[in-house]
Amino acid sequence: MIVLSVQSAVAHGHVGNSAAVFPLQRIGVEVVPVHTVNFSNHTGYGAWRGPVMAAEDVRDVITGVEERGVFPTIDVVLSGYQGGTGIGDVIVDAVRRVKAANPSAVYACDPVMGNAKSGCFVAPEIPHLLRDRVVPVADIITPNQFELGFLTGTEPTTLESTLASVDAARAMGPSTVLVTSVERPETGDDVLEMLAVDDAGGWIVRTPRLPFKANGSGDVTAALFAALYRSTGDAKAALERTTSSVFDLIEHTYRSGERELQIVQAQDAFANPRMQFTAERVR
């Protein structure tokens, strides 16, 4: 499998491509990373250095990959944090060209905007760009619950309302939706859930909530789920394996006392996941 991954990169730490590439490689997936920003560190530190890549520079890199004859071999186009406002059109154009070269390729979009606690942390134009021009051409999207609500103009707070929001998102174009953080009153504060829905049904998986938030965990989740779903076509299996790997990664990081994801140290969780969580069918 080959994944063309268009998202951010950082020199220190693990977010964007700096979080997604190694876990994919560790499960045997070849990655072609194209960076939308090249920062010293993620923006959660409050200060960072480095450039946002111009849309035309991103387009040139992708075109260079195309000129090497790679597009017919690409199975998944993956996008995450987009940086500048012109990147969305570049990604949509790349998806079109990849699918022309390989009609079986899929586009997995992680519509990175923000979360319920901190709100949006991208440029004000990005959420509308994602909703109106990028998500409709995606096959797979992996929003958190906050992002799902924005995309669909809804307020998902229960399992029923979240499923309704997923249906609204699927009506926009994507056939498969992974909601990466489902929070609902009936589960309590010590539980976190993920929900996957495709044409075959819907499944939810529950894990303990660790007292720790690691930047980049969503990027790892989106990358693993997209690759595993593309290889198996089984949303339940992809959800269970992704959940097992990411939970162990976050737990390892929490126990280490480090701020940044311990992706290298926890690499066995990707290659040989414990499969300690079972997804429940909800439709």
Side-chain angles (χ1 to χ4, degrees), residues 51-232:
V52 173
M53 307 304 292
E56 284 309 307
D57 291 336
V58 176
R59 188 187 302 275
D60 281 348
V61 172
I62 293 173
T63 298
V65 172
E66 181 181 27
E67 290 169 347
R68 303 288 77 76
V70 177
F71 276 15
T73 68
I74 291 173
D75 301 288
V76 179
V77 179
L78 173 67
S79 70
Y81 180 80
Q82 298 197 6
T85 56
I87 301 297
D89 288 333
V90 172
I91 292 171
V92 169
D93 181 58
V95 169
R96 178 186 60 78
R97 287 150 57 193
V98 167
K99 287 190 171 187
N102 178 13
S104 68
V106 300
Y107 171 36
C109 172
D110 185 10
V112 178
M113 303 178 204
N115 54 62
K117 292 183 179 178
S118 60
C120 281
F121 49 66
V122 297
E125 302 88 350
I126 294 292
H128 300 279
L129 168 69
L130 287 166
R131 182 190 63 197
D132 299 336
R133 296 185 358 226
V134 180
V135 166
V137 304
D139 302 288
I140 303 167
I141 60 171
T142 57
N144 59 37
Q145 201 170 24
F146 170 83
E147 292 161 342
L148 176 65
F150 178 87
L151 289 173
T152 58
T154 60
E155 295 185 4
T157 56
T158 64
L159 178 58
E160 292 72 21
S161 62
T162 301
L163 284 167
S165 297
V166 167
D167 289 340
R170 295 182 73 224
M172 296 169 64
S175 59
T176 304
V177 177
L178 173 70
V179 187
T180 59
S181 57
V182 176
E183 300 183 41
R184 48 193 178 117
E186 58 267 38
T187 59
D189 295 333
D190 58 346
V191 168
L192 193 62
E193 296 173 314
M194 288 205 293
L195 171 70
V197 179
D198 68 357
D199 290 341
W203 294 266
I204 197 163
V205 65
R206 178 181 300 182
T207 71
R209 182 194 294 269
L210 298 171
F212 179 74
K213 173 65 172 70
N215 292 80
S217 58
D219 302 321
V220 177
T221 301
L224 288 176
F225 181 82
L228 293 168
Y229 183 74
R230 177 67 178 84
S231 65
T232 66

Side-chain angles (χ1 to χ4, degrees), residues 191-279:
V191 168
L192 193 62
E193 296 173 314
M194 288 205 293
L195 171 70
V197 179
D198 68 357
D199 290 341
W203 294 266
I204 197 163
V205 65
R206 178 181 300 182
T207 71
R209 182 194 294 269
L210 298 171
F212 179 74
K213 173 65 172 70
N215 292 80
S217 58
D219 302 321
V220 177
T221 301
L224 288 176
F225 181 82
L228 293 168
Y229 183 74
R230 177 67 178 84
S231 65
T232 66
D234 187 330
K236 179 178 184 288
L239 175 63
E240 290 173 343
R241 179 165 175 173
T242 299
T243 301
S244 178
S245 295
V246 174
F247 180 84
D248 283 352
L249 168 63
I250 296 174
E251 185 177 47
H252 187 106
T253 304
Y254 172 63
R255 290 180 174 176
S256 75
E258 298 293 331
R259 175 172 182 170
E260 294 289 346
L261 286 174
Q262 301 295 287
I263 284 180
V264 174
Q265 296 81 354
Q267 61 181 280
D268 198 52
F270 312 128
N272 303 292
R274 291 190 293 157
M275 301 303 294
Q276 69 268 44
F277 303 108
T278 300

